[in-house]
Structures are given as structure tokens and as C-alpha cells.
Amino acid sequence: LIHCLRVMLADNLKAREMMPDGTYRKKAGGGRPVDAQAEFMKEAIRLSAEAARHGNEPFGAVLVKDNQIGQKALLYTMKNDAGTSVSVSDYGAALVSLFVRGKDGNPVDVVLGYDNVTGYEKGGDSIGATVGRNANRIGGASIEINGVTYELDKNDNGNNLHSGYDYYNKRFWDVAENADDHVTFRLHSPDKDQGYPGALDMYVTYTLDEDSMLTIHYEAVPDKDTVINMTNHSYFNLNGHDSGTVLNHS
């Protein structure tokens, strides 16, 4: 928002000149005086309302070298009339929360998640993660496709787990679509990414319907034969994420 406002204000000032009364008038053509502060606030309100309509909000920022602040993450929230809500983030295309109504009618978050992006950046349990290009293990950390052997990261006792060290869920994804009932993330994965052949654009779509069904749809078309085996790595607790152990569930 602040970046957008700075650009807007800079563009306005380039095209206007200040009058003696403190207002601005368009250059080379006159026009009505403009109160810069009022225009600034009007744009701030418009952008804030636009963000709220699409349900996105700040979710913290990742850290880069020497603990400097890096790219900021966003949280996207979908809601239905039944009171169910789903929040997902562009960092890792992660499922952050899933609120459903409990037996007492109060909303309960039934998936484990972190309060901000830092937990997803530093966490090692793939909580809520979109896992790919291949989820789970590949024995010996190598694959053969069309007679060619591809060596992968050995990150699990000589095996390849969740595609090695350069995880999909530790990257920022683009937002391809953002609507009231669905959010689609896109990640470009080049040829030899994680050691796998073939470039592709991976799409992950979270959809919430009025029956409170959450659907996760994966789609990609590679330009070479390759391995694609995506999944979501959420942990569920039907009593609520903060209710303690699930070992006594029945």
C-alpha cells in the first residue's frame, strides 16, 4: 500500500504545480485545484478497501542475509456464508488456517499453522506446505527417465525427501487468481530445478464452496517427461489447533 501511494503521489507531483494557497493545479492546461493530502488519503482508503475486498493482509517478511528484512508475504482469506474461512499465503502456497464451526457454534481452527511467515520460513515440519515437485521419498535420491539418470539431493539418509533442499514451500509464489471463493498460486520451475528434467508452471488452487468443502487442485504441463507428485502437508486437529494432543481422538 505504501509503495503504491508513493508512486501515485510522485506521479501526481510531476504533473502538477503548487499554487500560493498550498493546493496543486495540473500543469500546462490548468484544471481544478487539488488538495494533495486529501487526494493521498482518498487513494489510501481506496487501496485499503480493494485489499480488504480480496481478503489479503500482511503476513510478515522473510529474512535475508544478516537478518535483513526481505520480501513481504501476504495472507489471502476466503469465507462462506456458513462461517467457514480459509487462509493461505503466497509464501510456499501454504494453508495457514481452516476455521469451521464447532459443536457449540464457535469457529475452530482445525489445521496447525504459524502466526506469521517467520514460522514457515524457519520451520522444518512442512506445516501447511505445498510439497513438490515430488512429495515423499525417492530411494537412493536418483531417478531414470527415458534412459537418462538424474541425481537428486540426498537429504534423508541417502534418499530424496520432498525434492531436496530447495523446497517449493520455501519460495514465494505468484498470485494468478484471487477471488471470493478461490485463490490460485503459480510457481515457475525451470528445467533441472531440484534436479528434475523439464520446465513447468505449477498451479495450486484453493477453493472454498458454500458446503464448506475445501478443494486443492494442482495443475502443470512440463515441456519434458518428468516426475510430478504434489501434495499438501497440513496437520489436522479437529478439536482445534491449540487443543493439545490428537492421540486420544476416536
Side-chain angles (χ1 to χ4, degrees), residues 9 47 66 81 121 124 130 188 209:
L9 186 57
L47 290 172
D66 298 326
D81 293 337
E121 180 186 13
T130 293
H188 178 69
D209 66 20

Side-chain angles (χ1 to χ4, degrees), residues 46-229:
R46 185 190 70 79
L47 290 172
S48 178
E50 180 71 9
R53 185 177 74 83
H54 287 294
N56 65 68
E57 57 185 282
F59 195 49
V62 300
L63 298 177
V64 292
K65 187 178 180 181
D66 298 326
N67 286 330
Q68 296 298 306
I69 299 299
Q71 184 173 345
K72 295 181 179 179
L74 289 175
L75 195 67
Y76 297 81
T77 300
M78 299 164 280
K79 300 178 181 179
N80 67 12
D81 293 337
T84 301
S85 69
V86 177
S87 293
V88 294
S89 176
D90 58 353
Y91 183 76
L95 175 60
V96 175
S97 66
L98 172 56
F99 281 90
V100 298
R101 292 197 181 277
K103 290 185 294 185
D104 58 3
N106 293 319
V108 178
D109 184 5
V110 296
V111 298
L112 275 61
Y114 298 103
D115 293 331
N116 54 55
V117 72
T118 302
Y120 294 92
E121 180 186 13
K122 295 183 176 181
D125 296 319
S126 301
I127 290 179
T130 293
V131 179
R133 180 177 303 191
N134 178 74
N136 215 327
R137 292 167 177 82
I138 293 179
S142 69
I143 56 175
E144 182 178 324
I145 300 176
N146 297 332
V148 178
T149 298
Y150 298 90
E151 299 296 333
L152 310 173
D153 289 338
K154 294 181 178 179
N155 63 326
D156 182 64
N157 298 317
N159 304 309
N160 178 268
L161 175 62
H162 297 335
S163 299
Y165 296 108
D166 191 9
Y167 302 106
Y168 275 12
N169 59 294
K170 301 292 185 179
R171 309 182 194 182
F172 278 95
W173 292 56
D174 296 325
V175 178
E177 292 184 22
N178 178 22
D180 293 338
D181 63 346
H182 72 274
V183 178
T184 298
F185 297 109
R186 177 183 59 232
L187 179 71
H188 178 69
S189 182
D191 184 33
K192 303 299 176 56
D193 187 16
Q194 302 171 314
Y196 295 100
L200 57 85
D201 285 332
M202 177 60 66
Y203 292 85
V204 179
T205 300
Y206 291 90
T207 302
L208 176 66
D209 66 20
E210 287 302 323
D211 293 323
S212 296
M213 178 180 291
L214 173 63
T215 303
I216 307 175
H217 177 79
Y218 306 91
E219 182 176 348
V221 179
D223 61 6
K224 296 180 182 178
D225 290 344
T226 189
V227 173
I228 301 176
N229 181 39

Side-chain angles (χ1 to χ4, degrees), residues 222-240:
D223 61 6
K224 296 180 182 178
D225 290 344
T226 189
V227 173
I228 301 176
N229 181 39
M230 303 289 294
T231 195
N232 181 274
H233 206 283
S234 288
Y235 296 82
F236 287 79
N237 187 332
L238 300 185
N239 284 334

